[in-house]
Amino acid sequence: MKRYELITFGENMIRLSTRDYERLEQAQTLDVRHGGTEANVAVGLARLGHRTAWLSRLGDNALGHRIERDIASWGTDTSRVIWAPDERVGVFFLEVGAGARGSSVLYDRRDSSMSRMGVETFPWEWLAEAGWLHLTGITTAISSSCEELVRETQRRAHEAGLTVSYDVNYRAKLWTPERAREVVSPLCRDADIMFMKHSDVERVFGIREATAEDDLRALASRFARKVVVMTAGADGALAFDQQSGQIARAPAHPLTHVVDRVGAGDAFAAGFIAGYLETGIECGLRMGNAMAALKMTIQGDYALVSRAEVDGLLAGRSGGISR
């Protein structure tokens, strides 16, 4: 048995959010939290009872130590974090919108400590302790050294026999669709499991077919060794099994009230990986949708839910008072 079922690495930033739907221009106070896509996945999976570890390069200061301490307290191993004296933790400002005005993000992450991480400081022996490596397009995009690191970890992880997942996780404020397509295409092709939002398929890869199922088939003809997973918001999620050539589907859970959408895609990925490890693709889709729905009832980036809550939602039990 490997020490970790899943390992991952990436940037985590301080999140400063407006309250009561204020604009950043008018806000007098901001809500302080933190988050990052890879840590979100690791924490979500750990909350479901799986052994996970997360690595980053953090500024050796109060903000960096707050991030590391919190992630460890939620069940993910952080013992490999690299501390960087006199360097900065990235920050993002979240202006929470409602109705016709959607939420928006303002980044202040340039030259962050994580953006300086490269192959020369990565603990390569760590791969031998894990069964799964999760990578994302966000870390790939933040610097040239991180792009090189993502490529090299994928290559070495395959050599070591790990399952490798790659979430495209496109961010328009980090790179253009053309640049993203150029960089992530080989990473998606060589991943065992690929995750992508349906709304980004045309923008990043230029794919526009008649239906979501056709878009998924087109993705699967280009990418991933085992499974291509596509999330489609209120329309649920789909996955193409490369071995059988079949598409699996699972409906989304209808929500009457959304507290915080940030991190829902990462919660889905955590739930999918948990279900896939347990019984396969269909279970992964169902658990992914349940995790995403539960995450949107919680403030902050992390899906701080329990397996009992996920099982309850899947069984049709939700709301009420927990006793």
Side-chain angles (χ1 to χ4, degrees):
M1 182 182 294
K2 298 286 188 177
R3 181 178 180 184
Y4 307 111
E5 291 170 274
L6 177 141
I7 61 173
T8 187
F9 64 91
E11 182 166 39
N12 213 324
M13 297 186 292
I14 295 296
R15 166 182 148 170
L16 302 176
S17 307
T18 58
R19 297 179 176 180
D20 301 321
Y21 307 105
E22 290 182 322
R23 306 302 303 255
L24 278 171
E25 297 170 86
Q26 69 181 134
Q28 300 297 311
T29 59
L30 295 170
D31 184 53
V32 183
R33 300 177 188 271
H34 58 82
T37 182
E38 295 88 0
N40 295 348
V41 172
V43 168
L45 198 57
R47 298 283 296 197
L48 296 178
H50 293 270
R51 304 181 309 279
T52 68
W54 171 80
L55 164 69
S56 189
R57 190 172 186 272
L58 290 171
D60 190 1
N61 54 46
L63 296 178
H65 285 281
R66 170 177 175 162
I67 290 170
E68 184 273 332
R69 182 183 65 246
D70 285 354
I71 292 172
S73 74
W74 293 323
T76 291
D77 187 287
T78 59
S79 59
R80 293 283 188 171
V81 164
I82 298 168
W83 296 104
D86 302 319
E87 293 189 21
R88 68 188 299 264
V89 172
V91 177
F92 72 98
F93 298 84
L94 174 63
E95 184 177 275
V96 181
R101 178 174 61 87
S103 298
S104 62
V105 172
L106 175 64
Y107 288 119
D108 179 17
R109 70 194 308 173
R110 183 173 298 175
D111 202 30
S112 66
S113 52
M114 180 60 204
S115 71
R116 297 183 177 190
M117 189 170 178
V119 296
E120 68 282 352
T121 56
F122 191 85
W124 296 109
E125 70 281 358
W126 195 41
L127 296 178
E129 301 182 71
W132 190 302
L133 172 69
H134 182 67
L135 302 168
T136 81
I138 292 179
T139 295
T140 313
I142 61 175
S143 69
S144 59
S145 64
C146 284
E147 178 187 328
E148 180 186 9
L149 178 59
V150 168
R151 287 198 304 267
E152 185 64 11
T153 51
Q154 185 184 67
R155 184 186 70 80
R156 295 199 192 195
H158 279 311
E159 289 180 350
L162 280 72
T163 297
V164 178
S165 54
Y166 191 86
D167 189 340
V168 173
N169 225 328
Y170 176 71
R171 294 290 185 272
K173 292 186 178 182
L174 292 179
W175 49 7
T176 65
E178 295 75 19
R179 177 60 179 160
R181 183 184 311 124
E182 175 188 357
V183 174
V184 307
S185 288
L187 294 165
C188 292
R189 184 189 64 237
D190 292 337
D192 295 300
I193 315 289
M194 172 187 171
F195 294 96
M196 189 167 194
K197 290 168 56 179
H198 185 216
S199 57
D200 287 333
V201 170
E202 181 180 3
R203 176 159 49 171
V204 177
F205 294 118
I207 294 172
R208 185 179 182 181
E209 303 294 341
T211 66
E213 288 82 0
D214 291 337
D215 287 340
L216 179 60
R217 291 184 187 278
L219 279 177
S221 70
R222 301 185 193 182
F223 304 124
R225 301 179 178 189
K226 295 180 180 179
V227 184
V228 177
V229 184
M230 192 172 74
T231 56
D235 294 326
L238 310 86
F240 187 93
D241 182 351
Q242 298 283 24
Q243 183 175 5
S244 68
Q246 299 298 308
I247 291 178
R249 303 170 182 82
H253 295 273
L255 296 174
T256 57
H257 180 63
V258 174
V259 173
D260 191 342
R261 294 184 183 277
V262 178
D266 303 322
F268 174 90
F272 179 88
I273 293 168
Y276 183 81
L277 285 170
E278 292 175 19
T279 61
I281 294 173
E282 292 185 1
C283 180
L285 291 175
R286 291 194 300 271
M287 288 188 65
N289 284 338
M291 283 285 284
L294 289 167
K295 162 62 202 69
M296 287 190 280
T297 70
I298 301 167
Q299 284 284 3
D301 278 41
Y302 300 101
L304 300 178
V305 304
S306 69
R307 179 59 189 262
E309 289 172 319
V310 172
D311 290 343
L313 185 56
L314 291 173
R317 303 188 304 272
S318 60
I321 299 174
S322 298
R323 297 186 186 278

PDB file of all heavy atoms in Angstrom, residues 275-295:
ATOM      1  N   GLY A 275     -14.826   8.301  -6.187  1.00  0.00           N
ATOM      2  CA  GLY A 275     -15.733   7.297  -6.732  1.00  0.00           C
ATOM      3  C   GLY A 275     -15.059   6.385  -7.739  1.00  0.00           C
ATOM      4  O   GLY A 275     -15.317   5.176  -7.778  1.00  0.00           O
ATOM      5  N   TYR A 276     -14.185   6.960  -8.554  1.00  0.00           N
ATOM      6  CA  TYR A 276     -13.462   6.158  -9.553  1.00  0.00           C
ATOM      7  C   TYR A 276     -12.561   5.139  -8.872  1.00  0.00           C
ATOM      8  O   TYR A 276     -12.482   3.978  -9.306  1.00  0.00           O
ATOM      9  CB  TYR A 276     -12.643   7.095 -10.432  1.00  0.00           C
ATOM     10  CG  TYR A 276     -11.895   6.417 -11.558  1.00  0.00           C
ATOM     11  CD1 TYR A 276     -12.539   6.088 -12.748  1.00  0.00           C
ATOM     12  CD2 TYR A 276     -10.543   6.117 -11.440  1.00  0.00           C
ATOM     13  CE1 TYR A 276     -11.857   5.474 -13.782  1.00  0.00           C
ATOM     14  CE2 TYR A 276      -9.849   5.505 -12.465  1.00  0.00           C
ATOM     15  CZ  TYR A 276     -10.505   5.186 -13.637  1.00  0.00           C
ATOM     16  OH  TYR A 276      -9.822   4.576 -14.657  1.00  0.00           O
ATOM     17  N   LEU A 277     -11.896   5.550  -7.801  1.00  0.00           N
ATOM     18  CA  LEU A 277     -11.045   4.614  -7.060  1.00  0.00           C
ATOM     19  C   LEU A 277     -11.864   3.486  -6.431  1.00  0.00           C
ATOM     20  O   LEU A 277     -11.376   2.360  -6.291  1.00  0.00           O
ATOM     21  CB  LEU A 277     -10.280   5.356  -5.965  1.00  0.00           C
ATOM     22  CG  LEU A 277      -9.107   6.230  -6.421  1.00  0.00           C
ATOM     23  CD1 LEU A 277      -8.595   7.092  -5.262  1.00  0.00           C
ATOM     24  CD2 LEU A 277      -7.978   5.379  -6.985  1.00  0.00           C
ATOM     25  N   GLU A 278     -13.091   3.798  -6.062  1.00  0.00           N
ATOM     26  CA  GLU A 278     -13.916   2.806  -5.377  1.00  0.00           C
ATOM     27  C   GLU A 278     -14.562   1.819  -6.338  1.00  0.00           C
ATOM     28  O   GLU A 278     -14.395   0.603  -6.183  1.00  0.00           O
ATOM     29  CB  GLU A 278     -14.978   3.509  -4.531  1.00  0.00           C
ATOM     30  CG  GLU A 278     -14.364   4.262  -3.353  1.00  0.00           C
ATOM     31  CD  GLU A 278     -15.371   5.063  -2.550  1.00  0.00           C
ATOM     32  OE1 GLU A 278     -16.587   4.771  -2.667  1.00  0.00           O
ATOM     33  OE2 GLU A 278     -14.947   5.971  -1.810  1.00  0.00           O
ATOM     34  N   THR A 279     -15.315   2.316  -7.332  1.00  0.00           N
ATOM     35  CA  THR A 279     -16.008   1.375  -8.223  1.00  0.00           C
ATOM     36  C   THR A 279     -15.993   1.755  -9.696  1.00  0.00           C
ATOM     37  O   THR A 279     -16.511   1.004 -10.518  1.00  0.00           O
ATOM     38  CB  THR A 279     -17.481   1.192  -7.783  1.00  0.00           C
ATOM     39  OG1 THR A 279     -18.154   2.442  -7.863  1.00  0.00           O
ATOM     40  CG2 THR A 279     -17.570   0.652  -6.372  1.00  0.00           C
ATOM     41  N   GLY A 280     -15.459   2.928 -10.054  1.00  0.00           N
ATOM     42  CA  GLY A 280     -15.380   3.235 -11.469  1.00  0.00           C
ATOM     43  C   GLY A 280     -16.020   4.550 -11.873  1.00  0.00           C
ATOM     44  O   GLY A 280     -16.349   5.402 -11.043  1.00  0.00           O
ATOM     45  N   ILE A 281     -16.217   4.714 -13.167  1.00  0.00           N
ATOM     46  CA  ILE A 281     -16.600   5.997 -13.752  1.00  0.00           C
ATOM     47  C   ILE A 281     -17.967   6.474 -13.277  1.00  0.00           C
ATOM     48  O   ILE A 281     -18.131   7.640 -12.902  1.00  0.00           O
ATOM     49  CB  ILE A 281     -16.577   5.899 -15.288  1.00  0.00           C
ATOM     50  CG1 ILE A 281     -15.142   5.684 -15.779  1.00  0.00           C
ATOM     51  CG2 ILE A 281     -17.163   7.163 -15.923  1.00  0.00           C
ATOM     52  CD1 ILE A 281     -15.040   5.396 -17.266  1.00  0.00           C
ATOM     53  N   GLU A 282     -18.977   5.613 -13.307  1.00  0.00           N
ATOM     54  CA  GLU A 282     -20.326   6.055 -12.968  1.00  0.00           C
ATOM     55  C   GLU A 282     -20.400   6.516 -11.510  1.00  0.00           C
ATOM     56  O   GLU A 282     -21.021   7.544 -11.205  1.00  0.00           O
ATOM     57  CB  GLU A 282     -21.332   4.942 -13.240  1.00  0.00           C
ATOM     58  CG  GLU A 282     -21.492   4.657 -14.734  1.00  0.00           C
ATOM     59  CD  GLU A 282     -22.578   3.649 -15.026  1.00  0.00           C
ATOM     60  OE1 GLU A 282     -23.234   3.181 -14.059  1.00  0.00           O
ATOM     61  OE2 GLU A 282     -22.783   3.327 -16.206  1.00  0.00           O
ATOM     62  N   CYS A 283     -19.768   5.776 -10.617  1.00  0.00           N
ATOM     63  CA  CYS A 283     -19.713   6.189  -9.218  1.00  0.00           C
ATOM     64  C   CYS A 283     -18.962   7.515  -9.098  1.00  0.00           C
ATOM     65  O   CYS A 283     -19.351   8.394  -8.322  1.00  0.00           O
ATOM     66  CB  CYS A 283     -19.045   5.111  -8.373  1.00  0.00           C
ATOM     67  SG  CYS A 283     -18.924   5.504  -6.612  1.00  0.00           S
ATOM     68  N   GLY A 284     -17.902   7.669  -9.877  1.00  0.00           N
ATOM     69  CA  GLY A 284     -17.143   8.914  -9.854  1.00  0.00           C
ATOM     70  C   GLY A 284     -17.987  10.112 -10.247  1.00  0.00           C
ATOM     71  O   GLY A 284     -17.931  11.169  -9.608  1.00  0.00           O
ATOM     72  N   LEU A 285     -18.787   9.973 -11.302  1.00  0.00           N
ATOM     73  CA  LEU A 285     -19.647  11.075 -11.725  1.00  0.00           C
ATOM     74  C   LEU A 285     -20.672  11.431 -10.660  1.00  0.00           C
ATOM     75  O   LEU A 285     -20.904  12.607 -10.368  1.00  0.00           O
ATOM     76  CB  LEU A 285     -20.354  10.720 -13.033  1.00  0.00           C
ATOM     77  CG  LEU A 285     -19.479  10.626 -14.287  1.00  0.00           C
ATOM     78  CD1 LEU A 285     -20.307  10.139 -15.466  1.00  0.00           C
ATOM     79  CD2 LEU A 285     -18.838  11.976 -14.616  1.00  0.00           C
ATOM     80  N   ARG A 286     -21.290  10.424 -10.067  1.00  0.00           N
ATOM     81  CA  ARG A 286     -22.308  10.693  -9.042  1.00  0.00           C
ATOM     82  C   ARG A 286     -21.692  11.384  -7.830  1.00  0.00           C
ATOM     83  O   ARG A 286     -22.236  12.368  -7.306  1.00  0.00           O
ATOM     84  CB  ARG A 286     -22.989   9.394  -8.618  1.00  0.00           C
ATOM     85  CG  ARG A 286     -23.872   8.778  -9.699  1.00  0.00           C
ATOM     86  CD  ARG A 286     -24.772   7.713  -9.108  1.00  0.00           C
ATOM     87  NE  ARG A 286     -24.019   6.633  -8.492  1.00  0.00           N
ATOM     88  CZ  ARG A 286     -23.597   5.547  -9.121  1.00  0.00           C
ATOM     89  NH1 ARG A 286     -23.845   5.405 -10.418  1.00  0.00           N
ATOM     90  NH2 ARG A 286     -22.934   4.603  -8.490  1.00  0.00           N
ATOM     91  N   MET A 287     -20.534  10.886  -7.370  1.00  0.00           N
ATOM     92  CA  MET A 287     -19.895  11.485  -6.203  1.00  0.00           C
ATOM     93  C   MET A 287     -19.358  12.878  -6.532  1.00  0.00           C
ATOM     94  O   MET A 287     -19.401  13.785  -5.693  1.00  0.00           O
ATOM     95  CB  MET A 287     -18.787  10.584  -5.676  1.00  0.00           C
ATOM     96  CG  MET A 287     -19.301   9.336  -4.994  1.00  0.00           C
ATOM     97  SD  MET A 287     -18.004   8.389  -4.169  1.00  0.00           S
ATOM     98  CE  MET A 287     -17.503   9.541  -2.888  1.00  0.00           C
ATOM     99  N   GLY A 288     -18.870  13.057  -7.750  1.00  0.00           N
ATOM    100  CA  GLY A 288     -18.394  14.373  -8.149  1.00  0.00           C
ATOM    101  C   GLY A 288     -19.500  15.412  -8.119  1.00  0.00           C
ATOM    102  O   GLY A 288     -19.330  16.512  -7.588  1.00  0.00           O
ATOM    103  N   ASN A 289     -20.662  15.062  -8.667  1.00  0.00           N
ATOM    104  CA  ASN A 289     -21.784  15.999  -8.658  1.00  0.00           C
ATOM    105  C   ASN A 289     -22.260  16.294  -7.237  1.00  0.00           C
ATOM    106  O   ASN A 289     -22.625  17.437  -6.921  1.00  0.00           O
ATOM    107  CB  ASN A 289     -22.948  15.431  -9.482  1.00  0.00           C
ATOM    108  CG  ASN A 289     -22.711  15.536 -10.978  1.00  0.00           C
ATOM    109  OD1 ASN A 289     -21.923  16.360 -11.436  1.00  0.00           O
ATOM    110  ND2 ASN A 289     -23.380  14.697 -11.744  1.00  0.00           N
ATOM    111  N   ALA A 290     -22.268  15.279  -6.378  1.00  0.00           N
ATOM    112  CA  ALA A 290     -22.682  15.495  -4.991  1.00  0.00           C
ATOM    113  C   ALA A 290     -21.709  16.416  -4.272  1.00  0.00           C
ATOM    114  O   ALA A 290     -22.119  17.328  -3.538  1.00  0.00           O
ATOM    115  CB  ALA A 290     -22.796  14.155  -4.262  1.00  0.00           C
ATOM    116  N   MET A 291     -20.417  16.191  -4.462  1.00  0.00           N
ATOM    117  CA  MET A 291     -19.419  17.042  -3.820  1.00  0.00           C
ATOM    118  C   MET A 291     -19.535  18.487  -4.298  1.00  0.00           C
ATOM    119  O   MET A 291     -19.440  19.434  -3.506  1.00  0.00           O
ATOM    120  CB  MET A 291     -18.020  16.511  -4.101  1.00  0.00           C
ATOM    121  CG  MET A 291     -17.613  15.307  -3.276  1.00  0.00           C
ATOM    122  SD  MET A 291     -17.218  15.735  -1.562  1.00  0.00           S
ATOM    123  CE  MET A 291     -15.587  16.464  -1.770  1.00  0.00           C
ATOM    124  N   ALA A 292     -19.725  18.686  -5.601  1.00  0.00           N
ATOM    125  CA  ALA A 292     -19.845  20.039  -6.135  1.00  0.00           C
ATOM    126  C   ALA A 292     -21.068  20.749  -5.554  1.00  0.00           C
ATOM    127  O   ALA A 292     -21.002  21.933  -5.181  1.00  0.00           O
ATOM    128  CB  ALA A 292     -19.930  19.996  -7.661  1.00  0.00           C
ATOM    129  N   ALA A 293     -22.178  20.034  -5.459  1.00  0.00           N
ATOM    130  CA  ALA A 293     -23.396  20.638  -4.916  1.00  0.00           C
ATOM    131  C   ALA A 293     -23.216  21.017  -3.452  1.00  0.00           C
ATOM    132  O   ALA A 293     -23.617  22.118  -3.030  1.00  0.00           O
ATOM    133  CB  ALA A 293     -24.563  19.667  -5.070  1.00  0.00           C
ATOM    134  N   LEU A 294     -22.617  20.133  -2.675  1.00  0.00           N
ATOM    135  CA  LEU A 294     -22.399  20.432  -1.260  1.00  0.00           C
ATOM    136  C   LEU A 294     -21.416  21.583  -1.086  1.00  0.00           C
ATOM    137  O   LEU A 294     -21.594  22.431  -0.205  1.00  0.00           O
ATOM    138  CB  LEU A 294     -21.900  19.180  -0.541  1.00  0.00           C
ATOM    139  CG  LEU A 294     -22.942  18.074  -0.348  1.00  0.00           C
ATOM    140  CD1 LEU A 294     -22.279  16.785   0.074  1.00  0.00           C
ATOM    141  CD2 LEU A 294     -24.000  18.504   0.666  1.00  0.00           C
ATOM    142  N   LYS A 295     -20.375  21.628  -1.923  1.00  0.00           N
ATOM    143  CA  LYS A 295     -19.404  22.718  -1.820  1.00  0.00           C
ATOM    144  C   LYS A 295     -20.071  24.074  -1.984  1.00  0.00           C
ATOM    145  O   LYS A 295     -19.715  25.042  -1.303  1.00  0.00           O
ATOM    146  CB  LYS A 295     -18.301  22.538  -2.883  1.00  0.00           C
ATOM    147  CG  LYS A 295     -17.481  23.781  -3.197  1.00  0.00           C
ATOM    148  CD  LYS A 295     -16.710  24.285  -2.003  1.00  0.00           C
ATOM    149  CE  LYS A 295     -16.343  25.741  -2.120  1.00  0.00           C
ATOM    150  NZ  LYS A 295     -17.439  26.709  -2.040  1.00  0.00           N
TER     151      LYS A 295
END
